[in-house]
Amino acid sequence: MKEEIYKKKKQTGDHAPNLDDYAKVASEFTWKDARPYVDWFDGSLNAAYNAVDRHVQTWRKNKVALYWEDEAGNEKKYTFDELSLLSNKVGNLLKDFGVERGDRVFLFLPRIPELYFSFLGILKIGAIAGTLFSAFQEQALCDRLENSGAKVLLTTRDLKSRVDAIRKKLPELKHILVVDEPTFTKSVEKSSDVLHIAQTDPDDYAFMLYTSGTTGKPKGVVHSHRAVVQEHMTARWVLDLRDEDTYWCTADPGWVTGIAYEILGSWSNGVAALVYAGRFDPDRWYTLLDKYNVTVWYTAPTAIRMLMAAGQDLVKKHNLSHLRHLCSVGEPLNPEAIRWGLKVFGLAFHDTWWQTETGAICIANYPCMDIKIGSMGKPVPGLTASIVDDKGQDLGINKEGNIALKPKWPSMMHTIWRRPQKYQSYFTNGWYLSGDRGMLDKDGYFWFIGRADDVIKTSGERVGPFEVESALVAHPAVVEAGVIGKPDAMRGEIIKAFVVLEKSVLESTKTKAAQEKLKEELSQYVKKHLAGHAYPREIEFIDKLPKTRSGKIMRRILKAKELGLPVGDTSTLEDY
Ligand code: WTA
């Protein structure tokens, strides 16, 4: 196959990228060199201070940090100074509720301004912030709040009922603060805006996110304040953020991208950021890009594919001439998406690769570097990446293997909350194994091949099949379920469930109509108990699931059958 290369012209003067010579910087840079880019208190470091408060000492004090708009068109804006004072107030309020260093404070909020300044306030008092997608339902919430032992939860009136339903199972949860209740707003108003910011050790825990693997419940990936160092440098080098930019990251802080590049790494660069608290809608998205004169845009392949499907005429209705740099994360970026970007915006989407566990971008395409279309680019300076086999032996170039990183990098996770062995299982022979398969070419570019495990990526969201299977099995009609990611042109993958029905149910649902009705009921059931986005869009009833002799569901076989591929090695399979 012939390589398709998008050649970059060398930009100089004001147009020169922040990182203008990848090869040089990659060969010389060590993380010590990043020290001057963030503010330290002697040896200690606070990520939220770096995101917001340090700018208050400079001309950026009254610069707008956050442009906010919701679906109904309500608008708000906050300067760095306002974010600093509001987060101080929340910090003081949380202290009044007995929150101490190391306590977990969780945010179950839509993308409202309170989410952003509360997140900062939590970090500023040395507590650990946890974020939860507002799409989460009871089971998903319960798993995360129970495991984290969250002491305080901030939520809204609308979302609170889901927490009330599980409250009995959460003995460690002491307070629920409802941010749109007058009691909360009044307390914030009364609370002091002077706060002594915790002089946290760089390795003190700052935030945690639950993410999915193949097996078991979601795991709490814990990050420390030091993460801001790499988040800052990558926002600078990869997103190429500058003072004059208006930047829009479309992610939700329930996802690591929303924390690293909507709060910490982006604001620590002093950039003005747009947050849109609404659902995806092509016309609205273009309207926002136009209205706020967005210059740098960080989004995800599913959104790009949906924009492509909405057609080019829609783009022409808007003035998007101020866009200058586009980036993407979360799933493989299709070459067609890059070609489309070049056609309609005159700009290439720059793919970036990383994970909840890595805490910041690790492999990327840079503004100064030619893009090999379809490749994820090269390691971030300061990082060593390679392709290794399952034993952690380096495979060199042109071989398929595990995408691996050499520990430690500044934003590497510190632990898996209350599961130290799970944490250890990521490391083999001195490498961190990502769970992704890939290839390295002779020019140092990395290529993504697929997941090594059964993790599903649907619209960029990471979903563990076990969580969906457990939710299905809780329904009385279901005996067993096996869940896979089925390739989908728009969403990357969709969740497909193979379900074994209870005998009596099976007998009473012989007609196609009855079966369709039950499938719909099961989809809704998962939606209602687990999450609005992590439900099976396709369900198939089968007699028996393929399993190993020890009883493990072989999703690999379900997937191969679904795709009409060879089933492969079945020697460990029980009679099927
Ligand atoms: C996938 C996302 C292909 C990958 C910040 C990874 C990608 C998982 C890319 C992490 C990319 C992320 N190309 N696949 N550029 N970026 N992925 O933890 O499988 O939600 O392991 O973090 O997304 O997903 P997570």
Side-chain angles (χ1 to χ4, degrees), residues 340-463:
W340 177 79
L342 282 167
K343 195 169 82 188
V344 300
F345 306 121
L347 298 166
F349 280 99
H350 289 64
D351 195 10
T352 69
W353 176 92
W354 57 296
Q355 309 177 292
T356 306
E357 294 88 337
T358 71
I361 296 170
C362 291
I363 298 177
N365 288 288
Y366 307 86
C368 65
M369 194 174 88
D370 292 346
I371 296 178
K372 287 200 187 184
I373 294 183
S375 150
M376 304 189 298
K378 297 191 184 185
V380 162
L383 229 90
T384 306
S386 200
I387 300 294
V388 306
D389 68 12
D390 292 346
K391 296 201 177 74
Q393 298 297 325
D394 203 320
L395 291 173
I397 62 165
N398 295 334
K399 294 244 172 54
E400 178 181 335
N402 300 293
I403 302 177
L405 302 168
K406 191 111 252 172
K408 291 178 171 175
W409 56 95
S411 63
M412 186 175 103
M413 64 171 165
H414 271 246
T415 189
I416 298 291
W417 191 256
R418 292 180 177 163
R419 289 173 72 186
Q421 276 173 335
K422 182 84 213 173
Y423 174 73
Q424 285 308 329
S425 72
Y426 280 88
F427 304 94
T428 302
N429 194 30
W431 288 98
Y432 162 86
L433 267 56
S434 66
D436 282 350
R437 314 241 339 136
M439 202 205 63
L440 172 63
D441 74 14
K442 63 176 191 337
D443 302 316
Y445 284 78
F446 280 80
W447 299 75
F448 181 81
I449 294 176
R451 288 288 307 184
D453 56 20
D454 296 334
V455 166
I456 301 165
K457 267 277 172 169
T458 178
S459 303
E461 310 278 1
R462 186 161 152 185
V463 177

Side-chain angles (χ1 to χ4, degrees), residues 36-144:
Y37 288 88
V38 291
D39 282 359
W40 302 73
F41 319 114
D42 285 328
S44 62
L45 173 79
N46 188 293
Y49 175 85
N50 271 283
V52 166
D53 299 84
R54 66 163 168 168
H55 302 306
V56 175
Q57 326 298 324
T58 72
W59 67 268
R60 293 195 189 101
K61 180 172 188 217
N62 296 317
K63 178 180 175 178
V64 174
L66 171 62
Y67 290 101
W68 179 87
E69 184 168 326
D70 69 5
E71 214 163 85
N74 297 306
E75 292 172 29
K76 289 182 182 166
K77 55 183 179 197
Y78 297 84
T79 62
F80 281 104
D81 195 36
E82 286 167 330
L83 285 183
S84 163
L85 297 174
L86 283 163
S87 52
N88 282 352
K89 281 168 167 283
V90 174
N92 281 320
L93 184 67
L94 291 171
K95 280 184 167 180
D96 292 344
F97 277 99
V99 174
E100 292 175 7
R101 273 193 183 208
D103 283 344
R104 276 77 60 214
V105 178
F106 269 59
L107 302 163
F108 180 38
L109 295 170
R111 287 189 296 281
I112 52 179
E114 286 77 1
L115 167 56
Y116 298 85
F117 55 76
S118 301
F119 182 92
L120 295 163
I122 297 165
L123 268 61
K124 280 160 82 169
I125 61 169
I128 306 171
T131 52
L132 299 162
F133 283 112
S134 54
F136 282 152
Q137 300 288 343
E138 289 161 25
Q139 192 58 51
L141 286 172
C142 192
D143 289 343
R144 289 156 175 83

